[in-house]
Amino acid sequence: MAFALAQTETFKSTVKVNVKTKNGAWREETFTAIFKRTDEDGRERLLGLKNIELLREVMTGWEGMTVSEDDKTAVPFSPENFEAFLKLTGAVREAALQYINDNFNVKESRAKN
């Protein structure tokens, strides 16, 4: 397949998050994050940001987010819901790492929170 010079402004990526259930077991949950693509000029600056700061700049939406383990009502992406999401440390870490891995092709972990 040929490389397309003109890329879309956003891309979707599956984010996997290990969640402790109410019964005490771990379960992997996923959602699809929608991220802004960034260019080479912004790469170093973005890599220097904390996870929350990074996501505030690059996360533009999501799919597959539900209210709770028991309530499968879809949660739309909104400023209020995004702020609630940013309080979930594990989800924030995994979304930031997924963005870095996908957008910059960086396969190493970073420990900023």
Side-chain angles (χ1 to χ4, degrees), residues 2-69:
F3 176 75
L5 186 58
Q7 298 287 316
T8 59
E9 290 186 21
T10 61
F11 64 93
K12 294 180 181 181
S13 186
T14 300
V15 178
K16 298 176 184 178
V17 183
N18 286 315
V19 177
K20 191 81 149 176
T21 66
K22 61 185 174 186
N23 298 326
W26 287 98
R27 179 179 62 229
E28 183 178 272
E29 297 182 357
T30 63
F31 69 95
T32 301
I34 303 170
F35 295 120
K36 273 195 285 189
R37 252 181 238 287
T38 52
D39 59 21
E40 186 62 21
D41 291 336
R43 184 177 69 85
E44 287 298 322
R45 184 184 66 77
L46 289 173
L47 287 174
L49 296 177
K50 292 183 177 180
N51 293 337
I52 288 176
E53 296 166 342
L54 174 69
L55 293 180
R56 284 187 195 281
E57 287 204 32
V58 301
M59 194 166 173
T60 64
W62 60 53
E63 298 170 352
M65 188 83 65
T66 60
V67 172
S68 71
E69 184 177 337

Side-chain angles (χ1 to χ4, degrees), residues 71-88:
D71 183 351
K72 300 300 181 189
T73 304
V75 175
F77 187 84
S78 69
E80 297 81 21
N81 291 337
F82 185 55
E83 289 304 313
F85 171 82
L86 292 176
K87 293 181 184 345
L88 305 173

